[in-house]
Amino acid sequence: MPRPLSATIHLESMQHNLQRARAAAPQAKIWAVVKANAYGHGLERGMRGFAQADGLALVETENAVRLRDSGWIKPILLLEGIFDASDVPLLAEHNINSAVHNIEQIKMLEYTRHYRPIDVHLKMNTGMNRLGFRPDDYAAAYKRLRAIPDVRHITHMTHFANADELEHPRLTIAEQVRRFRFGAGELPGERSLSNSGGVLHQAELGDALSNDWVRPGIMLYGGTPGGRSAQDYGLRPTMTLRSEIIGIQRIEAGDTVGYGSRFEATGPMTVGVVACGYADGYPRHAPHGTPVIVDGVRTTLVGRVSMDMMTVDLTPIANARVGSRVTLWGDGLPIDEVAQAAGTIGYELMCALAGRVRVLEGRMGTDG
């Protein structure tokens, strides 16, 4: 029998969350973001779960080609653009859109044969200060791109730094939109501004946020970039990490648990050992009190997370036994809640899922 640890991917939840994104921004086409192996869900599963998206977006050229080889015929966007001039023919051959965020990429497009027209997304740095041309330099970059004969459509793109917090004290969405409009002006072409946070706040922003394309990521996987919970937005978990109790210890007051003896019992308690650890992608720094579910009852982590195991408090679960089912995140336990307890974000938990974890497919409310 395999080790009793598995991640179940809920394709129907991926489809549901995509529809929630479409309902939030009905005027826009959707790039479903499938970077980082579809946030740990598997690239091909991402393609299937988001089959109704208008396009898929990711960062690796080789995985863009892999999507084509797997049968994806709709648009594909490279969010970081090309990394070498040798990538340019692949854009043309496989009809892949590319972000353009620096002068070096423009030079690659100028001096490399394309074979057929390509579409690009010119990125503006409106305050994220990560990638893109500053507003004052944007029109000149556009003019240079427009002069390349085989560049067909140019979409204008930026990325919000604080889309989860509309009134951020340093940089609001409204200020970034103002900078974007200043830089792009009346230049022709479609607009692509919103990540998950922008999509989720579309109702509050209204006409102030106009997109032809949106680029939701984390919301498609049942998480949020911050603020309100996924459930508040009607989003469903797309990954459930489950294991089992493989050992039980009954301890007394003063007994300690785990490496470093960081947890000390204040009275009699029952401790369960779960087959999951940091080598599986569970955060090693998750503290005492991080929530877990055992046989449908919420309880907490105790002691340090080990490489292959963790320990949980079974005292509230009267009939807990070896073989009891454990939910570490997902169905019934929002991944953002676990991430917050561990001082991180749901993105990291999904993307850190280790290759040795069995990945299954199943509907929520089942054992996968």
Side-chain angles (χ1 to χ4, degrees):
M1 292 292 292
R3 185 164 171 254
L5 174 66
S6 63
T8 301
I9 306 302
H10 312 297
L11 293 182
E12 85 286 355
S13 293
M14 298 169 76
Q15 295 159 0
H16 169 86
N17 294 340
L18 177 65
Q19 291 309 309
R20 293 299 301 159
R22 201 174 290 285
Q27 81 290 352
K29 292 171 284 188
I30 293 178
W31 291 112
V33 178
V34 293
K35 63 183 179 179
N37 197 30
Y39 287 51
H41 291 61
L43 188 61
E44 284 74 16
R45 291 188 192 90
M47 187 179 78
R48 290 160 53 209
F50 305 133
Q52 298 306 310
D54 301 289
L56 299 178
L58 70 175
V59 300
E60 310 93 349
T61 307
E62 65 273 21
N63 282 336
V65 175
R66 181 174 150 196
L67 286 172
R68 287 286 183 240
D69 291 341
S70 298
W72 183 262
I73 62 174
K74 289 190 277 188
I76 297 173
L77 171 62
L78 292 175
L79 292 166
E80 294 178 1
I82 55 176
F83 302 103
D84 187 83
S86 63
D87 293 332
V88 176
L90 293 176
L91 300 180
E93 179 182 355
H94 297 281
N95 190 25
I96 297 169
N97 288 228
S98 178
V100 174
H101 59 78
N102 61 39
I103 198 67
E104 288 76 16
Q105 290 176 329
I106 294 180
K107 291 177 180 178
M108 293 178 200
L109 295 173
E110 287 175 329
Y111 297 118
T112 306
R113 186 179 176 187
H114 298 175
Y115 302 104
R116 61 171 65 101
I118 61 173
D119 297 330
V120 300
H121 289 235
L122 183 60
K123 190 160 191 177
M124 188 187 304
N125 173 15
T126 56
M128 182 76 167
N129 289 319
R130 201 169 59 177
L131 299 178
F133 294 90
R134 299 187 70 82
D136 288 342
D137 302 321
Y138 189 81
Y142 175 87
K143 182 178 180 181
R144 190 162 170 177
L145 266 180
R146 188 71 286 165
I148 301 173
D150 287 330
V151 169
R152 185 169 48 189
H153 301 301
I154 302 175
T155 296
H156 306 284
M157 179 170 68
T158 193
H159 191 77
F160 294 136
N162 304 302
D164 55 319
E165 192 175 348
L166 293 182
E167 298 303 323
H168 192 275
R170 293 187 178 180
L171 185 64
T172 63
I173 287 182
E175 173 58 19
Q176 287 195 256
V177 170
R178 185 196 69 77
R179 296 177 188 181
F180 181 81
R181 288 175 174 167
F182 171 78
E186 300 301 318
L187 295 173
E190 294 183 317
R191 268 61 173 162
S192 175
L193 292 85
S194 290
N195 49 12
S196 287
V199 173
L200 292 171
H201 287 300
Q202 181 68 53
E204 294 100 316
L205 293 163
D207 293 339
L209 186 56
S210 178
N211 287 276
D212 296 293
W213 287 88
V214 293
R215 309 184 307 276
I218 191 63
M219 70 173 292
L220 299 182
Y221 303 93
T224 67
R228 294 163 59 189
S229 71
Q231 188 173 8
D232 289 338
Y233 292 109
L235 302 172
R236 297 177 183 170
T238 60
M239 176 193 289
T240 298
L241 186 64
R242 292 188 178 95
S243 188
E244 293 181 3
I245 299 296
I246 62 170
I248 294 177
Q249 299 290 337
R250 291 175 175 81
I251 63 176
E252 302 296 330
D255 286 343
T256 60
V257 178
Y259 286 121
S261 299
R262 296 293 183 87
F263 178 84
E264 181 177 338
T266 58
M269 65 183 297
T270 304
V271 174
V273 181
V274 181
C276 181
Y278 61 78
D280 301 300
Y282 197 90
R284 181 179 181 272
H285 51 275
H288 317 309
T290 299
V292 299
I293 295 177
V294 179
D295 284 345
V297 179
R298 286 177 68 104
T299 185
T300 62
L301 182 72
V302 296
R304 276 185 177 172
V305 175
S306 304
M307 178 180 285
D308 310 302
M309 292 172 279
M310 65 178 68
T311 44
V312 298
D313 184 3
L314 295 184
T315 309
I317 302 106
N319 297 316
R321 56 182 176 78
V322 170
S324 286
R325 298 302 305 273
V326 180
T327 299
L328 298 166
W329 67 62
D331 191 0
L333 181 57
I335 194 169
D336 288 339
E337 185 178 346
V338 178
Q340 184 176 12
T344 184
I345 54 179
Y347 305 70
E348 183 179 16
L349 301 189
M350 293 178 190
C351 294
L353 190 71
R356 72 177 188 170
V357 177
R358 287 182 302 135
V359 180
L360 313 171
E361 292 181 19
R363 300 183 66 85
M364 286 177 54
T366 70
D367 287 338

